[in-house]
Amino acid sequence: MISLEEKKLLKDIEIAILSIHDHLNHIFDFNLYQQNKTIRRAVERELEIIGEAINNLLKIQTQVKISYARQIVDLRNKVIHAYDNVNNIIIWKIITKDLPVLLSEVSTYLNSDHD
């Protein structure tokens, strides 16, 4: 059974992913994303939140099964500390390929808890 703190962190990840969809207006068009700095910055902020939540989750529960957890935390650090080196193509790949997997994994954890 997951703890309340783990559940909160998982919920934060879920909300951040769904917020990315909202920032994109549920339109997954790379050209629109690349042309709109406000959307890019909003998405990057949500990725920071996801990375921080996963980092905190790994501190509490080292056995958590989240694909690419370490890379997500590393991305968070890059977005924050090397903001001028963020590659929009890599971020877009994360949005379209990796976040659906992460959302599924997080949902599985949240739905497996029956407290």
Side-chain angles (χ1 to χ4, degrees), residues 7-41:
K7 186 181 252 186
K8 183 217 176 287
L9 292 167
L10 289 163
K11 199 68 180 158
D12 288 347
I13 295 165
E14 180 182 58
I15 290 167
I17 293 170
L18 296 176
S19 293
I20 288 172
H21 294 180
D22 291 343
H23 295 311
L24 295 169
N25 292 320
H26 303 274
I27 301 169
F28 293 86
D29 181 324
F30 178 70
N31 290 323
L32 291 175
Y33 171 78
Q34 192 166 11
Q35 293 170 7
N36 190 315
K37 180 170 56 170
T38 303
I39 292 173
R40 288 195 320 270
R41 297 272 170 93

Side-chain angles (χ1 to χ4, degrees), residues 39-95:
I39 292 173
R40 288 195 320 270
R41 297 272 170 93
V43 167
E44 290 169 10
R45 175 67 180 135
E46 300 297 346
L47 292 171
E48 291 171 15
I49 291 168
I50 293 167
E52 185 67 17
I54 289 177
N55 190 42
N56 290 333
L57 186 60
L58 290 172
K59 290 176 183 174
I60 302 167
Q61 177 53 264
T62 58
Q63 302 304 314
V64 70
K65 301 247 186 307
I66 301 247
S67 301
Y68 309 108
R70 188 73 247 156
Q71 290 91 334
I72 295 167
V73 174
D74 292 345
L75 173 70
R76 172 237 178 242
N77 293 336
K78 182 173 184 173
V79 169
I80 289 175
H81 300 293
Y83 65 89
D84 56 340
N85 234 357
V86 172
N87 184 319
N88 290 334
I89 294 170
I90 292 171
I91 298 295
W92 190 252
K93 181 255 182 208
I94 290 165
I95 292 168

Side-chain angles (χ1 to χ4, degrees), residues 93-106:
K93 181 255 182 208
I94 290 165
I95 292 168
T96 58
K97 303 284 189 229
D98 301 335
L99 289 185
V101 173
L102 179 59
L103 183 59
S104 175
E105 291 172 346
V106 166

